[in-house]
Amino acid sequence: MQTIDDVAKKIIATLNEAGFQAYIVGGAVRDKLLNKPVNDIDLATDATPTEVTALFEHVIPVGIEHGTVIVRADHLSFEVTTFREEAGYSDFRHPDEVSYVTDLTTDLSRRDFTMNAMAENKQGTIIDPFDGKADLQARLIRAVGEPLERFQEDPLRILRALRFASQLGFMIETNTYEAMQTRLPLITALAIERVRVELDKLIQAENCRMGLHQAEALGLFDYLPVFKDSPSLIMKVRASECPFNGLTDWFVYLAYLEKQFDLSTFIKAYKLSNKDKQVMNDLDDTLMFYQSTGVSDRLVYQLDKASIHRFCVLVFHIFGENLSPDDLLDQKQALPIQSRQELAVDGHDLRRLLTDKAPGPWLRELIEVIEQNVVSGSLPNKKRAIEEWVKWYYQSENA
Ligand SMILES: Nc1ccn([C@@H]2O[C@H](COP(=O)(O)OP(=O)(O)OP(=O)(O)O)[C@@H](O)[C@H]2O)c(=O)n1
């Protein structure tokens, strides 16, 4: 079977045959050397975006102003970026000016860390002008060239260093670490959404204890919303037994750890997306419900396969109770229905039945009551029976 690496090499071959240089660069080279799975490959070339576009059938112009296009091949996408050097980052996000260059080493020299500044050609030879391979072997994160400049260009690299330390269990080289310390105040200028992406990766990583320790030693949390106002929070996180790896809802856990914050404080401070907000709020509701009633039929009904495992992890760490995801799933499967879609009536049926009622929130509330009764077994999931019950419910309500 053709791998993502084979497809990338085909793209490189097409560029080489047209007279251009082309290489695999960045995280893919690093991860291959670490024997980690590679799901995403970036390419660099001396061809301009216009020249790349002319060579391939499916090209998406995603970031032409930064020299990047996406080449689609065999149902996979590859970012292809023209060799460049960057003049400065006044918004700490996008380089102010991008100038194309023709030599690979200049392109590699603008990158953050030596382990991310290697390239691989079509034959699989590694081009490594900054000794990234040696640093990988020594398990060291080292800035390329002058560290103060690298972090000035993009202070997000400070967080990237910490999250790589957390993901890979690497140490940060002394000069690099000192430059991170000097430039640390610049992280307050970063968009909070970018900060959160790195923080998520740091906290969910395999070596998160070490990553958190390094972040705390550096003073990172003094510059981060919520954490900076609550120094005890990070102490509690460190002291907690919670294995954050894989725990996507760590904000919920932190909100429970620090009772003075409700979840909305985190949601607002980190500008969580609506989807994230929904997931976090649902989980928060379920945990509160668990706190008051324990494992009830109504509770297992609210959980689904995707959320059941993390719910159990959170219950263990917040309440110290050991629930088995499999047992909860069995209990859920034994319920009369698994989801609202399986109810024998829907909104249309109920509106037809209660023609004298004007549209309003009553319909959603009624469906919720029916759902609860069916789940608890006090009402059979049969259309006739439910309709009879609804008529009785309204008669008794109006009586
Ligand atoms: N602030 C940044 C972000 C990225 N890069 C460079 O761009 C490459 C690709 O960046 P990205 O895809 O964001 O990260 P990866 O290093 O590939 O790591 P991961 O996929 O784990 O996020 C990096 O390897 C690095 O060479 C950089 O120099 N400075």
Side-chain angles (χ1 to χ4, degrees):
M1 217 193 68
Q2 189 167 243
T3 64
I4 183 169
D5 197 62
D6 298 332
V7 184
K9 295 279 169 70
K10 277 205 299 198
I11 296 175
I12 293 178
T14 305
L15 283 156
N16 287 166
E17 279 152 26
F20 297 110
Q21 304 172 56
Y23 301 88
I24 296 179
V25 287
V29 183
R30 176 196 71 222
D31 288 344
K32 272 211 271 181
L33 289 170
L34 289 169
N35 286 323
K36 289 188 175 277
V38 172
N39 306 315
D40 183 32
I41 292 186
D42 295 338
L43 303 174
T45 177
D46 60 349
T48 62
T50 316
E51 287 166 333
V52 176
T53 306
L55 279 175
F56 297 93
E57 207 176 324
H58 300 292
V59 178
I60 309 165
V62 278
I64 294 243
E65 65 286 12
H66 306 117
T68 304
V69 294
I70 285 184
V71 173
R72 294 269 309 152
D74 294 303
H75 308 287
L76 296 167
S77 297
F78 299 84
E79 272 192 16
V80 181
T81 305
T82 307
F83 295 159
R84 61 185 202 204
E85 59 185 353
E86 287 149 1
Y89 291 64
S90 49
D91 69 350
F92 299 129
R93 192 163 197 163
H94 300 115
D96 295 337
E97 269 169 52
V98 172
S99 30
Y100 297 144
V101 293
T102 50
D103 108 272
L104 172 68
T105 307
T106 308
D107 182 86
L108 295 177
S109 70
R110 72 170 169 88
R111 294 172 184 269
D112 52 5
F113 307 114
T114 58
M115 63 180 183
N116 291 340
M118 294 182 272
E120 182 187 332
N121 69 11
K122 195 177 72 177
Q123 290 76 26
T125 307
I126 305 289
I127 296 98
D128 181 17
F130 304 102
D131 291 330
K133 234 169 157 179
D135 284 333
L136 272 189
Q137 260 149 19
R139 305 170 66 77
L140 267 187
I141 297 166
R142 185 196 305 269
V144 173
E146 173 46 60
L148 282 168
E149 281 173 24
R150 293 289 85 76
F151 296 117
Q152 171 79 38
E153 282 162 359
D154 185 1
L156 190 77
R157 290 171 170 165
I158 298 169
L159 279 147
R160 279 172 59 87
L162 294 166
R163 77 103 154 151
F164 283 124
S166 191
Q167 287 177 324
L168 304 172
F170 282 17
M171 296 305 289
I172 299 169
E173 179 272 330
T174 314
N175 286 334
T176 305
Y177 186 83
E178 282 170 6
M180 286 163 66
Q181 234 162 2
T182 309
R183 297 290 187 234
L184 190 57
L186 296 180
I187 67 164
T188 51
L190 292 167
I192 197 70
E193 295 89 335
R194 293 180 83 205
V195 170
R196 190 200 156 196
V197 170
E198 295 302 324
L199 214 51
D200 267 352
K201 290 184 181 173
L202 189 159
I203 292 212
Q204 289 169 43
E206 205 173 316
N207 303 287
C208 100
R209 267 176 207 292
M210 179 175 157
L212 277 174
H213 178 75
Q214 295 197 26
E216 196 191 5
L218 186 75
L220 174 73
F221 297 103
D222 299 341
Y223 293 91
L224 292 184
V226 184
F227 296 99
K228 70 176 187 314
D229 302 319
S230 177
S232 68
L233 182 57
I234 206 64
M235 269 166 54
K236 287 184 189 167
V237 172
R238 244 191 332 113
S240 86
E241 287 303 310
C242 185
F244 286 101
N245 40 317
L247 190 64
T248 49
D249 306 297
W250 57 276
F251 277 111
V252 180
Y253 176 76
L254 297 195
Y256 273 82
L257 263 188
E258 187 69 59
K259 292 287 179 217
Q260 81 189 82
F261 296 117
D262 60 273
L263 193 53
S264 57
T265 316
F266 286 97
I267 289 178
K268 220 162 119 200
Y270 286 88
K271 292 196 185 155
L272 301 197
S273 69
N274 283 340
K275 194 168 155 253
D276 282 336
K277 242 189 260 182
Q278 185 67 42
V279 171
M280 304 266 175
N281 280 328
D282 285 353
L283 192 58
D284 187 34
D285 286 350
T286 315
L287 284 165
M288 279 203 284
F289 192 48
Y290 173 78
Q291 209 172 0
S292 58
T293 66
V295 179
S296 60
D297 283 349
R298 243 178 88 188
L299 179 112
V300 290
Y301 178 72
Q302 283 178 17
L303 295 169
D304 57 34
K305 252 196 175 140
S307 63
I308 218 158
H309 185 76
R310 63 172 186 265
F311 170 75
C312 291
V313 173
L314 285 170
V315 165
F316 179 73
H317 290 291
I318 295 168
F319 307 115
E321 282 149 35
N322 217 337
L323 303 176
S324 143
D326 288 342
D327 287 353
L328 295 193
L329 211 57
D330 286 349
Q331 189 174 339
K332 181 178 165 92
Q333 265 147 16
L335 295 175
I337 56 168
Q338 304 296 303
S339 68
R340 185 167 291 180
Q341 285 70 40
E342 291 177 28
L343 267 187
V345 295
D346 61 15
H348 296 293
D349 298 324
L350 296 171
R351 267 205 305 270
R352 261 196 306 269
L353 192 69
L354 301 165
T355 43
D356 54 330
K357 283 187 80 74
W362 64 269
L363 186 61
R364 194 174 40 81
E365 285 158 19
L366 179 60
I367 292 179
E368 272 168 21
V369 177
I370 296 171
E371 195 179 19
Q372 278 169 29
N373 281 310
V374 170
V375 169
S376 69
S378 54
L379 184 62
N381 189 28
K382 297 263 184 293
K383 197 169 179 187
R384 275 280 301 273
I386 295 176
E387 288 182 346
E388 287 305 315
W389 179 86
V390 169
K391 281 192 226 152
W392 166 84
Y393 181 73
Y394 275 97
Q395 264 161 17
S396 56
E397 209 185 39
N398 296 329

